[in-house]
Protein backbone atom coordinates (compact mmCIF):
# COMPACT_ATOMS: atom_id res chain seq x y z
CA UNK A 1 0.00 0.00 0.00
CA UNK A 2 1.28 3.48 -0.88
CA UNK A 3 0.79 5.68 2.18
CA UNK A 4 2.27 8.73 0.46
CA UNK A 5 -1.13 9.23 -1.17
CA UNK A 6 -2.85 9.81 2.20
CA UNK A 7 -3.71 13.52 2.40
CA UNK A 8 -2.79 15.46 5.53
CA UNK A 9 -5.75 17.69 6.40
CA UNK A 10 -5.17 21.23 7.63
CA UNK A 11 -5.90 22.13 11.23
CA UNK A 12 -4.23 22.62 14.57
CA UNK A 13 -2.16 20.18 16.58
CA UNK A 14 -2.70 19.95 20.34
CA UNK A 15 -0.57 18.35 23.04
CA UNK A 16 -0.87 18.04 26.78
CA UNK A 17 1.49 17.23 29.61
CA UNK A 18 0.56 16.38 33.18
CA UNK A 19 2.53 17.44 36.25
CA UNK A 20 1.80 16.82 39.92
CA UNK A 21 2.53 18.17 43.35
CA UNK A 22 1.32 17.79 46.92
CA UNK A 23 0.02 20.84 48.78
CA UNK A 24 -2.29 21.98 51.50
CA UNK A 25 -4.72 24.86 51.57
CA UNK A 26 -7.81 26.28 53.14
CA UNK A 27 -10.41 28.67 51.81
CA UNK A 28 -10.82 31.24 54.59
CA UNK A 29 -13.65 33.14 52.90
CA UNK A 30 -15.98 30.17 53.34
CA UNK A 31 -18.18 29.77 56.38
CA UNK A 32 -16.40 28.06 59.31
CA UNK A 33 -18.69 25.03 59.04
CA UNK A 34 -17.70 24.40 55.38
CA UNK A 35 -15.13 21.61 55.27
CA UNK A 36 -12.91 23.51 52.82
CA UNK A 37 -12.50 26.40 55.26
CA UNK A 38 -10.32 24.08 57.35
CA UNK A 39 -6.75 23.14 56.48
CA UNK A 40 -6.61 20.11 54.18
CA UNK A 41 -4.46 18.82 51.35
CA UNK A 42 -4.58 17.40 47.86
CA UNK A 43 -2.42 15.47 45.44
CA UNK A 44 -2.75 18.04 42.67
CA UNK A 45 -2.49 17.14 39.01
CA UNK A 46 -1.87 20.01 36.61
CA UNK A 47 -2.19 19.59 32.86
CA UNK A 48 -0.96 22.18 30.39
CA UNK A 49 -2.51 22.04 26.92
CA UNK A 50 -0.67 23.65 24.01
CA UNK A 51 -1.44 24.11 20.32
CA UNK A 52 0.25 25.06 17.07
CA UNK A 53 -0.94 25.40 13.49
CA UNK A 54 2.44 24.30 12.19
CA UNK A 55 4.85 21.82 13.71
CA UNK A 56 8.49 22.47 14.52
CA UNK A 57 11.09 19.94 13.33
CA UNK A 58 11.00 17.02 13.72
CA UNK A 59 7.20 17.34 14.08
CA UNK A 60 6.50 18.83 17.52
CA UNK A 61 4.04 21.40 18.83
CA UNK A 62 6.62 21.82 21.58
CA UNK A 63 9.28 19.40 22.75
CA UNK A 64 7.98 18.04 26.08
CA UNK A 65 11.48 18.54 27.50
CA UNK A 66 11.10 22.29 26.99
CA UNK A 67 8.35 22.29 29.64
CA UNK A 68 10.88 21.46 32.39
CA UNK A 69 10.89 25.03 33.77
CA UNK A 70 7.19 24.65 34.61
CA UNK A 71 7.88 21.40 36.49
CA UNK A 72 10.74 23.08 38.37
CA UNK A 73 8.44 25.99 39.30
CA UNK A 74 5.77 23.63 40.65
CA UNK A 75 8.34 21.57 42.58
CA UNK A 76 10.06 24.61 44.07
CA UNK A 77 7.17 26.95 44.81
CA UNK A 78 4.10 24.72 45.28
CA UNK A 79 5.08 21.19 46.30
CA UNK A 80 4.52 20.64 50.02
CA UNK A 81 3.48 24.24 50.63
CA UNK A 82 0.30 25.84 51.93
CA UNK A 83 -1.21 27.46 48.87
CA UNK A 84 -3.15 30.07 50.83
CA UNK A 85 0.18 31.34 52.18
CA UNK A 86 1.86 31.76 48.79
CA UNK A 87 -0.84 32.58 46.23
CA UNK A 88 -1.95 36.19 45.76
CA UNK A 89 -5.60 35.06 45.47
CA UNK A 90 -7.74 32.50 47.30
CA UNK A 91 -6.38 29.07 46.29
CA UNK A 92 -9.42 27.47 44.67
CA UNK A 93 -8.68 25.11 41.78
CA UNK A 94 -10.16 27.69 39.41
CA UNK A 95 -7.83 30.43 40.64
CA UNK A 96 -4.87 28.05 40.69
CA UNK A 97 -5.47 27.09 37.04
CA UNK A 98 -5.66 30.77 36.03
CA UNK A 99 -2.59 31.72 38.05
CA UNK A 100 -0.53 28.86 36.60
CA UNK A 101 -1.65 29.83 33.09
CA UNK A 102 -0.40 33.36 33.71
CA UNK A 103 2.94 32.14 35.04
CA UNK A 104 3.36 29.74 32.12
CA UNK A 105 2.58 32.43 29.53
CA UNK A 106 5.03 34.84 31.13
CA UNK A 107 7.87 32.42 31.88
CA UNK A 108 7.72 29.41 29.57
CA UNK A 109 5.77 30.35 26.46
CA UNK A 110 8.26 32.97 25.14
CA UNK A 111 10.88 30.24 24.71
CA UNK A 112 8.73 27.59 22.99
CA UNK A 113 6.92 27.36 19.65
CA UNK A 114 3.55 26.16 21.00
CA UNK A 115 0.93 28.41 22.58
CA UNK A 116 -0.92 27.66 25.81
CA UNK A 117 -4.60 26.85 25.29
CA UNK A 118 -5.63 25.80 28.79
CA UNK A 119 -4.53 24.65 32.22
CA UNK A 120 -6.48 21.99 34.05
CA UNK A 121 -6.08 21.46 37.80
CA UNK A 122 -7.32 18.25 39.35
CA UNK A 123 -7.73 18.09 43.14
CA UNK A 124 -9.14 14.58 43.24
CA UNK A 125 -9.81 11.77 40.82
CA UNK A 126 -13.32 13.11 40.26
CA UNK A 127 -12.98 16.89 40.43
CA UNK A 128 -11.09 19.40 38.30
CA UNK A 129 -11.12 22.99 37.10
CA UNK A 130 -9.93 24.25 33.73
CA UNK A 131 -8.88 27.73 32.70
CA UNK A 132 -9.04 28.41 28.95
CA UNK A 133 -6.73 31.17 27.74
CA UNK A 134 -8.45 33.79 25.58
CA UNK A 135 -7.30 33.86 21.97
CA UNK A 136 -4.30 36.11 21.54
Amino acid sequence: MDFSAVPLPSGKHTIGKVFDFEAGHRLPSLAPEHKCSRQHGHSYEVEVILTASELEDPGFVTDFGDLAPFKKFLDTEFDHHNLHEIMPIEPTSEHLAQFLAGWFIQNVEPGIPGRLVAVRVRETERSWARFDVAER
Side-chain angles (χ1 to χ4, degrees):
M1 177 173 241
D2 180 14
F3 291 116
S4 64
V6 175
L8 298 177
S10 61
K12 288 186 177 183
H13 296 273
T14 303
I15 63 168
K17 183 158 178 74
V18 175
F19 304 88
D20 55 40
F21 65 92
E22 307 290 328
H25 76 145
R26 60 186 174 82
L27 303 176
S29 68
L30 293 174
E33 61 274 5
H34 193 289
K35 67 181 181 177
C36 293
S37 71
R38 298 185 296 275
Q39 181 70 31
H40 62 286
H42 297 288
S43 296
Y44 286 95
E45 182 181 281
V46 176
E47 181 178 13
V48 293
I49 302 165
L50 296 101
T51 191
S53 296
E54 296 189 22
L55 299 177
E56 296 288 315
D57 285 336
F60 292 155
V61 168
T62 293
D63 185 332
F64 288 119
D66 291 341
L67 304 179
F70 186 65
K71 173 65 172 156
K72 183 178 180 185
F73 173 68
L74 293 175
D75 288 348
T76 303
E77 302 298 330
F78 285 81
D79 191 44
H80 286 81
H81 284 84
N82 282 320
L83 300 183
H84 59 276
E85 294 176 357
I86 60 172
M87 286 186 60
I89 50 181
E90 191 141 6
T92 63
S93 290
E94 293 87 344
H95 282 155
L96 181 56
Q98 185 178 21
F99 178 83
L100 292 175
W103 191 92
F104 189 97
I105 289 166
Q106 182 178 32
N107 295 282
V108 178
E109 194 174 89
I112 61 173
R115 293 295 162 246
L116 186 69
V117 172
V119 174
R120 186 175 70 169
V121 172
R122 182 179 295 278
E123 285 187 353
T124 70
E125 188 176 306
R126 295 188 194 108
S127 62
W128 57 266
R130 176 175 159 154
F131 178 77
D132 292 305
V133 177
E135 287 195 38
R136 302 168 271 147

